[in-house]
Amino acid sequence: MGWFWADGPQPKVQSQPLSHHTLFQDRARPPPPGCPMHKHQKSADAMTSPSGACPVKHTPPISEQPSGCPVPHGANAYSREQRKEWKEECRGKKDETHSTLSRLNPLNYMFRDLSQTPAPDQTQALPTSREPSTIPRGDGDGNWEYPSPQQMYNALLRKGYTDTDVTAVESMVSVHNFLNEGAWAEIMDWEKRFSGGLYRGWRVCSHGEQNFDTMVKKYGYQKEVEDLSPSLVRFQGRPKDMTPKAAMFQVMGWLYPGAFGTEPPFDRHDWYVSRDINGQKREVRYVIDYYSGPPEPTGEPVFYLDVRPAMTPTGAAERAVRWGCDVWWRAIGGDTRELQKQNKFK
């Protein structure tokens, strides 16, 4: 599950072929020590020394001279073309190392170049139009757009799902969009309660889920709730990473199948939402588990979404406040008591 969009194709970086360079370019250098020809040349020089020269040789023997570094260190040791070529090689290797990551869109961890071109051997034409969502983008550039059926099909093929039924892609896109709209509605419910902090969240949650609107009016939070404008910064699909809560449900289902027996979630998303707190933007991570339920008698599929803040200190506190207040209010018969109070004053 996830959104994708097609950016322009990225230019491919090709590394230059590795070149071979000769390290010793100065042929006037002395031959290495121990060379027999060099020893013979030394003896000949001694025998043919000019007259008047000092009979004592002042040059140390070749065996006593320190060995020099084989790599030339002069400013002009290598030509400008050689240095330029080596830099291009290093730059090409670096780009090649990060080529896979650079091709991913950091906002949704999908390939940037999801084209609208029909896939090879595609047996049916798919629409290329894209439907806008109701979810604001974190960069302020309008709302997110859902993929077209053709883009969805191409994305499935690139992920390795080569057996995808092309005739079912349009229905898959419709379900995909419907589930994501439902996930955003759940996130908005969390933001309405806790975007103003834990204390305000506790006040509006104190009388359970059913009385949220009543508590908002009681404490005068209508304007804050109406002006609420969170946005989705980025998201990531993690279908292979089961959340601790989902894993716990699987264990409970194994122990008590009658009460907790359920199939594991078929998908997981992490959504990063921008929350405005006193004029400052703060990023909040939400975790979404997607479950499938028994189909309706009419054959329509049924899905369940478990949307909650990630288990950070703040997220854990928000979950405890919302869940704990609702359970406590129902356990003490809060609605019945409120109804009795209203009848008493009539």
Side-chain angles (χ1 to χ4, degrees):
M1 301 297 299
W3 293 300
F4 331 106
W5 67 89
D7 293 344
Q10 301 297 315
K12 297 181 180 179
V13 180
Q14 299 181 353
S15 58
Q16 299 291 335
L18 198 62
S19 303
H20 299 277
H21 302 278
T22 304
L23 294 179
F24 296 100
Q25 298 181 356
D26 189 359
R27 298 180 181 272
R29 294 187 180 182
C35 177
M37 295 297 297
H38 180 64
K39 291 181 179 180
H40 295 166
Q41 180 67 30
K42 180 179 178 182
S43 302
D45 292 343
M47 289 185 295
T48 60
S49 58
S51 58
C54 178
V56 180
K57 299 193 71 68
H58 298 278
T59 304
I62 298 298
S63 59
E64 297 180 4
Q65 293 183 356
S67 59
C69 177
V71 181
H73 297 277
N76 299 322
Y78 301 109
S79 64
R80 181 178 300 178
E81 289 75 12
Q82 291 173 337
R83 292 195 297 269
K84 182 179 180 181
E85 185 177 356
W86 289 347
K87 289 181 180 178
E88 291 178 355
E89 289 176 2
C90 295
R91 189 182 301 111
K93 292 180 180 179
K94 183 178 180 180
D95 292 342
E96 184 178 0
T97 304
H98 299 283
S99 59
T100 301
L101 183 60
S102 63
R103 292 170 62 193
L104 297 180
N105 191 318
L107 299 181
N108 59 1
Y109 298 94
M110 294 301 300
F111 289 102
R112 299 174 183 266
D113 54 344
L114 289 177
S115 68
Q116 300 273 25
T117 305
D121 301 328
Q122 183 175 323
T123 59
Q124 178 178 323
L126 293 173
T128 58
S129 59
R130 304 177 62 183
E131 179 183 347
S133 72
T134 62
I135 307 173
R137 294 173 58 99
D139 55 8
D141 188 15
N143 292 352
W144 288 86
E145 284 187 338
Y146 292 120
S148 68
Q150 184 63 62
Q151 286 180 313
M152 175 71 79
Y153 184 63
N154 291 340
L156 292 172
L157 294 181
R158 294 185 71 168
K159 286 185 175 182
Y161 300 103
T162 56
D163 57 346
T164 302
D165 184 6
V166 67
T167 62
V169 173
E170 292 189 59
S171 299
M172 294 169 58
V173 172
S174 299
V175 173
H176 167 274
N177 300 353
F178 171 77
L179 292 179
N180 286 324
E181 291 293 330
W184 183 250
E186 293 287 335
I187 289 177
M188 287 296 296
D189 285 343
W190 282 98
E191 291 295 306
K192 290 177 181 178
R193 287 165 172 81
F194 295 103
S195 62
L198 287 174
Y199 176 68
R200 198 183 84 176
W202 171 78
R203 298 184 79 179
V204 298
C205 292
S206 59
H207 284 52
E209 290 289 303
Q210 302 297 328
N211 299 306
F212 168 74
D213 293 332
T214 302
M215 302 308 294
V216 168
K217 294 179 181 178
K218 177 181 178 180
Y219 292 107
Y221 295 142
Q222 298 97 318
K223 182 173 177 55
E224 288 83 349
V225 172
E226 292 174 358
D227 296 341
L228 193 65
S229 58
S231 58
L232 179 61
V233 179
R234 65 184 188 278
F235 53 89
Q236 181 181 12
R238 303 173 60 184
K240 297 182 180 180
D241 300 332
M242 184 175 292
T243 61
K245 184 178 180 180
M248 181 187 67
F249 275 129
Q250 295 305 303
V251 174
M252 296 297 292
W254 178 70
L255 296 175
Y256 306 101
F260 297 96
T262 181
E263 293 293 327
F266 64 86
D267 200 2
R268 170 196 171 174
H269 275 191
D270 285 10
W271 289 17
Y272 297 82
V273 176
S274 177
R275 177 185 294 179
D276 190 353
I277 302 178
N278 297 326
Q280 296 182 353
K281 297 292 184 179
R282 177 185 174 188
E283 197 170 275
V284 180
R285 181 167 67 97
Y286 284 89
V287 179
I288 308 171
D289 285 326
Y290 296 81
Y291 293 89
S292 58
E296 295 285 352
T298 58
E300 295 181 357
V302 177
F303 302 95
Y304 300 96
L305 303 182
D306 186 3
V307 183
R308 70 274 185 192
M311 191 59 74
T312 61
T314 303
E318 293 175 359
R319 292 162 66 170
V321 168
R322 185 175 182 181
W323 178 80
C325 288
D326 184 61
V327 171
W328 174 255
W329 183 256
R330 289 187 285 110
I332 65 174
D335 289 335
T336 303
R337 292 188 179 188
E338 289 295 320
L339 183 60
Q340 291 176 353
K341 288 181 180 180
Q342 293 176 6
N343 294 334
K344 183 178 180 181
F345 289 105
K346 286 184 179 180

